[in-house]
Amino acid sequence: MDNVRVRIAPSPTGYLHVGTAHTALFNWLFAKHNNGKFILRIEDTDIQRSSKEYEENILEGLTWLGLYWDEGPYYQTQRLDLYRKYAEELLKIGAAYYCYCTPEELEQRRKEALAQKRPPKYDRKCLYLSDEEIAKYEREGRKPVIRLLVPEGKTVFNDIIRGEIEFDNEDIGDFVIMKSDGIPTYNFAVVVDDYTMGITHVIRGEDHISNTPKQLFIYNALNWTPPEFAHLPLLLGPDRSKLSKRHGVTSVTEYKKMGYLPEALVNYLALLGWTPEENKEIYTIEELIELFDLRRVTKNPGIFDITKLEWINTQHIRRLSVEKLAELTLPFLEEVEWFNRNNFDKNYYLKVVSILQERLKTLSQIREYGDYFFLDKLNYDLETVKKVCKSPDIHIYLEKIKEEWSKIPNSEFSAQNLENILRNLAETHQIPTKNLVHPIRVALTNKTVGPGLYELAEILGKERVIKRLEEFIECLKEL
Ligand code: GLU
């Protein structure tokens, strides 16, 4: 496909929502697959609800995901002259007309229509106003809107994903294209922009299907060839209602803060509503670009499942080099007050990251899973201590272990040596090794689960291990 040009057109009235990121991703993948261009347009005509903060968040989120745009951002509020120009053209050719009805009048007549079981669409009261009527309204200080004159008949378009879609124009009232303050409505601005920006494919959420005939009227009236349309399935929560805050985090940058990898979120979102031919679940961005095909987008909604996302994140974390994972996790540690940047030892940190890599579901979990590698003192949870130290003479064995391990020279303080010594001791005293392993794990980490005990002890190093055993034995005596 040649000269593909697609766009994402977010309104800066909220943080970048995963649904918008999903649409952006499908556009971006389609552009990349076809060597086309991906354009960013900020639809900021809702001046009341738009904000710079939201806009910055949208740009930050798209950038973090790696969905770089080739053109833009364009701003609709900087293109008002253009919309005015085409609105005037529509007026001139009789495809649009001024309407002076006030919201109160419209509401009144809408109610009447409903009461009489007529469709509550605009009744065209202002379609053929006389010069006197216009003059009267103007004297009253009324500011008109501009409405599009909806043609008769049916409107059919071929959606790449959903096939032929037909609308009866009869059901659509003459809608406003320009508000009285000179700001265009969404349906009008979007057409002027998509046309003048040379958009070849409009790929957007299914919630815009009902807008498409309205947009087609404008293309036809101006004699413009419309783009192709592809309406994507929406993202739903597990209860099958539209994905919203009720279902959990919906802001893309929150996922960043929670320690998700952008490539994992991209991987996950790509598979919501699209099934590549290959039957696997973990894809790199390059693979997604290579395989992406709009025709394999499903009509069924994508159910957003955080557990699945977490699993995909785990898989991508496992694929990172230790160096990279260290670089990415460090900022999460630097956020906590117990982490001492001054003592930072890169080699030590690389070992810590490497032993935790398999277990991390998110980058931020380095804090909860790895705190003991950095804390000076562990505040033992006494309930846990009691639970793992049921035997009354456990402190005697721990004392012995401590003594034996203390004798190992620093350079030989290896997982293998630690294990051999512990096993020998367990054998000599005829106790199961697990009766020693569990308390020692708590002594060294203040946790009941974690990576291999001897391996983590090797990383902690002799000094820390011996000190913790001492502290733990003290704690036991006090209990
Ligand atoms: N600003 C619209 C939205 O955020 C864009 C819709 C479209 O892609 O046409 O939903």
Side-chain angles (χ1 to χ4, degrees), residues 7-11 20 23 41 43 186 190 194 202-205 207-208 215:
R7 71 345 181 242
I8 183 71
S11 305
T20 309
T23 306
R41 182 169 76 226
E43 303 209 323
Y186 156 71
V190 83
D194 285 341
V202 166
I203 306 169
R204 61 183 170 198
D207 47 342
H208 285 289
Q215 296 174 12

Side-chain angles (χ1 to χ4, degrees), residues 31-145:
K32 294 293 138 190
H33 182 88
N34 292 294
N35 273 319
K37 295 267 186 274
F38 173 64
I39 292 149
L40 173 59
R41 182 169 76 226
I42 303 291
E43 303 209 323
D44 56 352
T45 52
D46 186 344
I47 294 156
Q48 295 292 318
R49 289 172 60 228
S50 297
S51 85
K52 203 73 202 155
E53 185 194 345
Y54 290 142
E55 182 198 319
E56 279 163 11
N57 178 270
I58 291 168
L59 302 197
E60 181 195 340
L62 291 174
T63 308
W64 176 66
L65 288 171
L67 307 181
Y68 305 115
W69 48 97
D70 302 295
E71 277 179 35
Y74 296 113
Y75 295 86
Q76 289 189 322
T77 48
Q78 292 173 9
R79 297 164 59 82
L80 298 179
D81 289 345
L82 196 65
Y83 310 126
R84 198 163 307 129
K85 175 179 141 192
Y86 288 114
E88 273 159 20
E89 182 153 341
L90 287 169
L91 287 167
K92 205 168 82 195
I93 59 176
Y97 58 96
Y98 284 114
C99 166
Y100 289 89
C101 299
T102 64
E104 296 74 29
E105 290 168 348
L106 292 171
E107 182 52 25
Q108 173 66 25
R109 295 199 320 261
R110 207 182 71 89
K111 281 192 191 139
E112 283 166 17
L114 284 174
Q116 294 164 15
K117 302 219 155 42
R118 283 185 286 115
K121 62 182 195 181
Y122 183 62
D123 57 8
R124 294 191 166 163
K125 178 160 186 286
C126 291
L127 179 54
Y128 302 112
L129 290 180
S130 65
D131 290 348
E132 289 79 51
E133 282 170 308
I134 294 175
K136 177 177 156 275
Y137 288 144
E138 293 282 340
R139 273 198 310 277
E140 286 173 14
R142 295 195 188 199
K143 294 250 175 298
V145 301

